[in-house]
Amino acid sequence: MLEFSGGARPPFSRLPSDGARRGAGRGGGPGRAGAPVPTGSDPGGGAGSAQQTGPAGAGRAGGPGGAQGRSGGPERGGEEAPWLQRLMAARPPLLPAGVVAGAAAVLVLGLFRVLSAGHALFPEGVVGWSFAVLTGLVVAHLVTMGRDRWWGGTGSGPALTLAILLLCGWVPALLVSLAVVVLVGAARRHRWRQAVVHGAIDILGVGAAALGPAVCGAHPSVENPWLPAEWGPEAVPGTVLAAALYLLTTRALQWFTLAPRTRGLPTALRTSLVRQGLVGTALVGIAPLIVIVAVHKPLLLPLFAIPLIALDTTLRIARARAEEQLRDPLTGLPNRLWLLERAWTALDEAERTGARSALVLIDLDRFRSVNDTLGHLAGDRLLLQIADRLREVLPRGAEAARLGGDEFAVLLPVCDSTTSAQRVARSLVSALGSPLDLDGLTLVLEASAGVAVFPEHAREAEGLLRRADVAMYEAKRDRTAVEVYEATRDGNTPDRLGLLADLRRALDAGEVELHYQPKVGFDGTVSGLEALVRWVHPERGRVPPDEFIAIAETSGLMPRLTEYVLETALAQVAVWRGCGLTVPVAVNVSPRDVHAPGFAGAVAARLARHGVPPGALQLEITEHVLLEDPQRAADTLAGLTGHGVKMSLDDFGTGYSSLVHLRRLPVSELKIDRSFVARLAVDTEDAEIVRCTVDLAHSLGLKVVAEGVEDDETWERLRDLGCDAVQGWLVSAAMPPGETTAWLRAREVHAARSLPPVPPARTP
């Protein structure tokens, strides 16, 4: 029989309401007992799973780069065709009325046939009273459950219904089902419209199940029961068929009549199939036993309440565990799996209507320091406050989830544009940045957010999550609070992943070259060379340095590239020193290199191995080295300068330039970024910035080098402003080692003290 329910959504499609979730999140840490059973909105969409693989921006969810079609996830494979999604979304508007009308017709027909033939509607005597007592116990059990369990949550009612059907026919089974619906409905005071629909579905299910005995040639009634003595091997298919038809009919009608509209095939339905298998097994196993006891020892029938209630308890525990898989145990928010499923539904709907959807991934900055300082329990309490605040500021229709640790996500099922999604992300980050109170201690936690939009950035849930993750790490790295995904900054598209593999092979084969660009003083002396990486791909041709260096930085290959450049540059310096050319060489290093343990010692070891004095090497760094782990960066830089290696501050004037950083960095040279130098002759503001920078650097005892000098007028202006040296095409483009050697020899021979003629333009 079908238990009465006031709900209209299948389980696993429900998560806690705001009030229930807040209550769930305040009582303790992860894994505590007593979390509320989810109720709320439907996550919809198909199943997908993603695993958190580490803190790097690449690869937190899904495969690298994500699938470009709808076949990327393990659950949403190519076998799950669109027609199945459309079928699951079908909700005929007149189906509930048709179900009620059909059930009424079946009920009237059954009563008419029984009464016109003079048959009894229900067994009399001990058997009838025993069934009535057992039915009453089942009703009491269903009432005390106090939850909506109509989607396969119980097995007691169906088992009892099938037993009566096998023994006495389908009309008495209908009466028992109606009695349970009425009694449970009256006890729970649910809405009667839904009660009528549920009862009608159960009537049709019982009618379909009656075909099972009919296959065996049996047509049981109260006067002519289908006795166990008459059962043979041929009764097994009939019993199994009766259980299968009952479950299939009732569950299908429930889904298409009552479940929310979705184009995806929910995990709820997939997981429910497993539970329906358990219910079916119980029906086949328990119902015949009930019949046997009813025939031989009817007084023992009420004892079947014990195994039936145990069956319900088992199914309820299985359901609760499955629901736990969709909820974060600490905050009560939905988790990553739920988010992916819900995102699939949102993307399906957006694709159908031609709308946009967006995903915002939010990560708290430096939250680890809170755990390290105040402890993990305090960190958990802060996460609860963050989750509550996130719920309060969500835009209408948006849904939030906790992906793990200090990482949250917000799904915008419908958004007007990328700009509007970015605006929402900024409002969320701003709200999370408001002060938080923890036992009288006021804390301010900053957050970074990444935004990815369907269909511009990805066409599947896993890809959208991964691209939002990439954008979030861009925002965290550049400290811009919010970033929208850009393919040019993503090192994990299929094309860029292929380029990464090729770069790794090129480094192993020594196919990456170093070119050297001179830095020249205004008196014509060569103050140094900068080593610049160049790579000619065998198929793509010359690959822009910005492209493959960005790939190396986001993939973890940067330390390998830095080692290669240092090794190659020092080997060349050793060759030049052997030839009497003692010009120092500068090598760019990334913040990741500086933060790597033992970096200073490794550089000193390479200098010793090549026999190059430390003063012949200069490392160019940016101020970003102090943003991630200032103490470690300071220790590494102090170790390098302690070994005698010179330091140069590159790209000064861009990003997060500050006097505090300039004071803390042990540099001897400051390089003015080309963006200021390029318009020096025509932009008075840029000229003033350069003048102030030169004065500031000289007041700190630093040498100033201007990058990107390409014309005589800029040269003259820089000389007038007191700049110490220049670098750019006006002097020379970056040259291979052989050309650099010849260029240095020519400068040495001529001992020129004035600028040589402008060389022909070379591709840098």
Side-chain angles (χ1 to χ4, degrees):
M1 83 193 53
L2 182 66
E3 298 81 45
F4 176 81
S5 167
R9 299 173 185 266
F12 306 117
S13 300
R14 298 177 290 186
L15 283 165
S17 63
D18 285 346
R21 283 181 289 203
R22 291 190 183 99
R26 296 185 188 276
R32 65 192 185 285
V37 175
T39 57
S41 60
D42 173 33
S49 63
Q51 296 177 346
Q52 185 168 331
T53 59
R60 254 200 202 189
Q68 295 302 316
R70 288 296 175 109
S71 58
E75 295 282 338
R76 292 182 70 93
E79 298 299 322
E80 192 169 305
W83 69 266
L84 182 57
Q85 298 177 8
R86 292 194 297 269
L87 175 63
M88 298 312 301
R91 298 293 182 270
L94 299 180
L95 182 59
V99 168
V100 173
V106 170
L107 182 60
V108 170
L109 176 62
L111 293 175
F112 176 77
R113 289 185 58 184
V114 170
L115 294 176
S116 62
H119 296 305
L121 293 176
F122 201 76
E124 298 179 350
V126 177
V127 174
W129 283 109
S130 297
F131 270 123
V133 172
L134 180 57
T135 302
L137 293 174
V138 170
V139 169
H141 162 62
L142 296 178
V143 171
T144 57
M145 286 179 67
R147 303 183 189 276
D148 297 335
R149 296 294 179 184
W150 57 266
W151 188 253
T154 64
S156 56
L160 177 59
T161 301
L162 182 61
I164 296 176
L165 184 146
L166 293 176
L167 181 63
C168 301
W170 59 283
V171 175
L174 289 180
L175 296 178
V176 170
S177 175
L178 287 177
V180 171
V181 170
V182 172
L183 292 175
V184 175
R188 295 184 185 174
R189 298 180 182 179
H190 282 300
R191 290 170 291 182
W192 285 100
R193 173 179 290 182
Q194 291 184 351
V196 170
V197 175
H198 282 296
I201 290 174
D202 206 48
I203 288 174
L204 295 179
V206 172
L211 297 176
V215 171
C216 303
H219 301 280
S221 63
V222 174
E223 288 78 11
N224 299 296
W226 191 23
L227 300 175
E230 302 172 3
W231 295 356
E234 68 279 359
V236 175
T239 304
V240 174
L241 181 60
L245 288 174
Y246 176 84
L247 291 175
L248 181 62
T249 302
T250 55
R251 274 43 180 181
L253 289 177
Q254 288 162 11
W255 175 259
F256 291 110
T257 304
L258 301 171
R261 187 180 188 278
T262 174
R263 295 186 71 232
L265 184 61
T267 297
L269 189 58
R270 294 191 178 111
T271 310
S272 180
L273 292 177
V274 177
R275 296 200 318 281
Q276 299 312 313
L278 295 175
V279 174
T281 303
L283 291 176
V284 174
I286 295 179
L289 295 178
I290 295 176
V291 173
I292 294 173
V293 172
V295 171
H296 297 287
K297 294 291 182 180
L299 287 176
L300 299 180
L301 276 178
L303 295 179
F304 272 99
I306 297 175
L308 292 178
I309 293 174
L311 172 63
D312 286 350
T313 302
T314 301
L315 294 175
R316 185 169 67 251
I317 292 174
R319 172 183 172 179
R321 288 180 177 176
E323 288 172 341
E324 288 291 337
Q325 296 177 2
L326 299 176
R327 186 181 64 240
D328 173 53
L330 173 63
T331 62
L333 286 173
N335 63 11
R336 181 186 294 267
L337 177 59
W338 182 93
L339 175 73
L340 287 171
E341 294 180 4
R342 184 66 186 90
W344 272 114
T345 301
L347 299 192
D348 287 338
E349 185 65 19
E351 185 177 44
R352 185 180 65 84
T353 60
R356 286 183 174 89
S357 291
L359 190 65
V360 180
L361 196 64
I362 303 172
D363 190 86
L364 304 179
D365 296 339
R366 296 180 295 277
F367 184 77
R368 185 177 64 181
S369 62
V370 175
N371 283 333
D372 294 342
T373 304
L374 303 178
H376 288 277
L377 289 179
D380 287 348
R381 292 164 60 193
L382 284 176
L383 289 175
L384 288 173
Q385 293 190 43
I386 290 292
D388 286 341
R389 183 170 292 179
L390 196 58
R391 293 188 188 102
E392 293 170 358
V393 299
L394 280 179
R396 174 175 294 184
E399 297 168 274
R402 183 190 178 208
L403 305 188
D406 59 345
E407 192 173 52
F408 297 84
V410 173
L411 175 66
L412 305 176
V414 178
C415 69
D416 298 331
S417 63
T418 300
T419 302
S420 65
Q422 188 177 19
R423 189 181 306 115
V424 170
R426 291 194 181 280
S427 67
L428 294 173
V429 168
S430 176
L432 296 182
S434 300
L436 297 167
D437 180 75
L438 185 66
D439 297 334
L441 179 64
T442 301
L443 300 175
V444 177
L445 298 178
E446 297 180 351
S448 299
V451 180
V453 179
F454 168 90
E456 286 89 339
H457 302 144
R459 301 189 65 86
E460 72 287 332
E462 292 87 347
L464 203 66
L465 179 60
R466 196 198 65 78
R467 284 161 172 78
D469 190 66
V470 171
M472 183 270 292
Y473 271 94
E474 291 291 339
K476 185 179 289 288
R477 186 185 66 182
D478 297 339
R479 301 191 62 79
T480 54
V482 175
E483 286 287 344
V484 177
Y485 173 79
E486 294 181 14
T488 56
R489 305 177 73 179
D490 185 357
N492 293 287
T493 61
D495 180 69
R496 290 164 74 85
L497 285 175
L499 197 62
L500 172 63
D502 293 341
L503 176 59
R504 194 183 301 275
R505 286 192 293 268
L507 291 174
D508 293 338
E511 297 173 357
V512 176
E513 299 179 351
L514 289 189
H515 288 194
Y516 300 88
Q517 187 172 38
K519 294 184 285 186
V520 176
F522 289 93
D523 59 358
T525 58
V526 180
S527 60
L529 301 169
E530 181 180 1
L532 300 173
V533 187
R534 298 293 183 262
W535 179 31
V536 179
H537 192 277
E539 298 177 359
R540 302 169 185 252
R542 185 183 296 274
V543 182
D546 290 345
E547 182 176 350
F548 68 82
I549 290 176
I551 292 175
E553 286 180 339
T554 57
S555 66
L557 188 60
M558 196 63 201
R560 173 75 179 89
L561 180 59
T562 301
E563 291 176 2
Y564 180 90
V565 173
L566 278 172
E567 190 71 21
T568 305
L570 290 177
Q572 184 61 55
V573 170
V575 171
W576 281 332
R577 292 183 68 84
C579 299
L581 300 173
T582 58
V583 61
V585 172
V587 173
N588 290 274
V589 294
S590 72
R592 180 175 295 185
D593 299 321
V594 176
H595 293 142
F599 179 70
V603 172
R606 282 192 170 84
L607 288 168
R609 185 169 62 252
H610 289 283
V612 175
L617 175 65
Q618 187 179 56
L619 297 182
E620 294 193 1
I621 60 174
T622 65
E623 291 171 289
H624 284 89
V625 298
L626 293 179
L627 297 180
E628 180 93 11
D629 191 341
Q631 188 57 51
R632 173 175 288 185
D635 293 343
T636 301
L637 296 179
L640 289 167
T641 54
H643 287 299
V645 177
K646 297 180 180 179
M647 309 296 295
S648 174
L649 183 60
D650 198 10
D651 298 335
F652 186 80
T654 63
Y656 296 91
S657 300
S658 72
L659 297 180
V660 174
H661 292 167
L662 190 58
R663 183 185 63 185
R664 295 180 61 184
L665 292 171
V667 297
S668 59
E669 179 183 275
L670 186 149
K671 300 185 72 174
I672 302 176
D673 188 73
R674 66 179 64 247
S675 61
F676 298 105
V677 175
R679 296 179 52 82
L680 177 64
V682 296
D683 192 314
T684 56
E685 291 184 356
D686 284 353
E688 186 63 22
I689 290 174
V690 172
R691 185 190 65 78
C692 293
T693 302
V694 171
D695 292 343
L696 173 64
H698 286 167
S699 67
L700 296 175
L702 305 180
K703 179 181 177 182
V704 181
V705 177
E707 297 181 297
V709 180
E710 300 181 4
D711 57 76
D712 292 321
E713 187 175 1
T714 303
W715 166 281
E716 298 291 344
R717 292 296 301 274
L718 288 169
R719 183 180 59 184
D720 295 341
L721 291 173
C723 188
D724 299 301
V726 297
Q727 181 180 351
W729 284 7
L730 181 65
V731 177
S732 173
M735 301 170 287
E739 290 186 28
T740 305
T741 302
W743 189 89
L744 291 173
R745 288 294 188 194
R747 303 287 296 194
E748 187 179 62
V749 170
H750 295 288
R753 299 188 60 85
S754 59
L755 185 68
V758 178
R762 297 183 179 93
T763 303

PDB file of all heavy atoms in Angstrom, residues 243 362 497 567 599 624:
ATOM      1  N   ALA A 243       4.834  -8.220  -7.243  1.00  0.00           N
ATOM      2  CA  ALA A 243       5.641  -7.225  -6.530  1.00  0.00           C
ATOM      3  C   ALA A 243       6.239  -6.208  -7.491  1.00  0.00           C
ATOM      4  O   ALA A 243       6.232  -4.992  -7.232  1.00  0.00           O
ATOM      5  CB  ALA A 243       6.741  -7.921  -5.742  1.00  0.00           C
ATOM      6  N   ILE A 362      33.920  30.508  -4.026  1.00  0.00           N
ATOM      7  CA  ILE A 362      34.442  31.439  -3.023  1.00  0.00           C
ATOM      8  C   ILE A 362      35.387  30.699  -2.088  1.00  0.00           C
ATOM      9  O   ILE A 362      35.058  29.622  -1.590  1.00  0.00           O
ATOM     10  CB  ILE A 362      33.292  32.065  -2.205  1.00  0.00           C
ATOM     11  CG1 ILE A 362      32.301  32.769  -3.145  1.00  0.00           C
ATOM     12  CG2 ILE A 362      33.826  33.044  -1.172  1.00  0.00           C
ATOM     13  CD1 ILE A 362      31.049  33.248  -2.448  1.00  0.00           C
ATOM     14  N   LEU A 497      47.129  21.858 -22.239  1.00  0.00           N
ATOM     15  CA  LEU A 497      47.689  20.665 -21.603  1.00  0.00           C
ATOM     16  C   LEU A 497      48.645  19.948 -22.555  1.00  0.00           C
ATOM     17  O   LEU A 497      49.678  19.429 -22.145  1.00  0.00           O
ATOM     18  CB  LEU A 497      46.563  19.725 -21.170  1.00  0.00           C
ATOM     19  CG  LEU A 497      45.790  20.155 -19.921  1.00  0.00           C
ATOM     20  CD1 LEU A 497      44.628  19.213 -19.684  1.00  0.00           C
ATOM     21  CD2 LEU A 497      46.699  20.185 -18.714  1.00  0.00           C
ATOM     22  N   GLU A 567      70.559  26.807 -14.850  1.00  0.00           N
ATOM     23  CA  GLU A 567      71.657  25.933 -15.272  1.00  0.00           C
ATOM     24  C   GLU A 567      72.239  26.398 -16.604  1.00  0.00           C
ATOM     25  O   GLU A 567      73.468  26.488 -16.785  1.00  0.00           O
ATOM     26  CB  GLU A 567      71.141  24.499 -15.383  1.00  0.00           C
ATOM     27  CG  GLU A 567      72.216  23.454 -15.578  1.00  0.00           C
ATOM     28  CD  GLU A 567      73.050  23.233 -14.332  1.00  0.00           C
ATOM     29  OE1 GLU A 567      72.576  23.579 -13.219  1.00  0.00           O
ATOM     30  OE2 GLU A 567      74.175  22.724 -14.466  1.00  0.00           O
ATOM     31  N   PHE A 599      65.817  26.891  -1.812  1.00  0.00           N
ATOM     32  CA  PHE A 599      66.122  27.532  -3.094  1.00  0.00           C
ATOM     33  C   PHE A 599      67.458  28.273  -3.031  1.00  0.00           C
ATOM     34  O   PHE A 599      68.268  28.196  -3.959  1.00  0.00           O
ATOM     35  CB  PHE A 599      64.991  28.492  -3.465  1.00  0.00           C
ATOM     36  CG  PHE A 599      65.221  29.222  -4.753  1.00  0.00           C
ATOM     37  CD1 PHE A 599      65.173  28.562  -5.970  1.00  0.00           C
ATOM     38  CD2 PHE A 599      65.502  30.584  -4.754  1.00  0.00           C
ATOM     39  CE1 PHE A 599      65.390  29.240  -7.163  1.00  0.00           C
ATOM     40  CE2 PHE A 599      65.719  31.268  -5.935  1.00  0.00           C
ATOM     41  CZ  PHE A 599      65.661  30.590  -7.149  1.00  0.00           C
ATOM     42  N   HIS A 624      55.330  40.266  -5.718  1.00  0.00           N
ATOM     43  CA  HIS A 624      54.415  39.183  -5.372  1.00  0.00           C
ATOM     44  C   HIS A 624      55.054  38.153  -4.443  1.00  0.00           C
ATOM     45  O   HIS A 624      54.346  37.378  -3.804  1.00  0.00           O
ATOM     46  CB  HIS A 624      53.925  38.482  -6.651  1.00  0.00           C
ATOM     47  CG  HIS A 624      52.895  39.271  -7.404  1.00  0.00           C
ATOM     48  ND1 HIS A 624      53.255  40.190  -8.351  1.00  0.00           N
ATOM     49  CD2 HIS A 624      51.543  39.290  -7.331  1.00  0.00           C
ATOM     50  CE1 HIS A 624      52.150  40.738  -8.850  1.00  0.00           C
ATOM     51  NE2 HIS A 624      51.110  40.218  -8.243  1.00  0.00           N
TER      52      HIS A 624
END
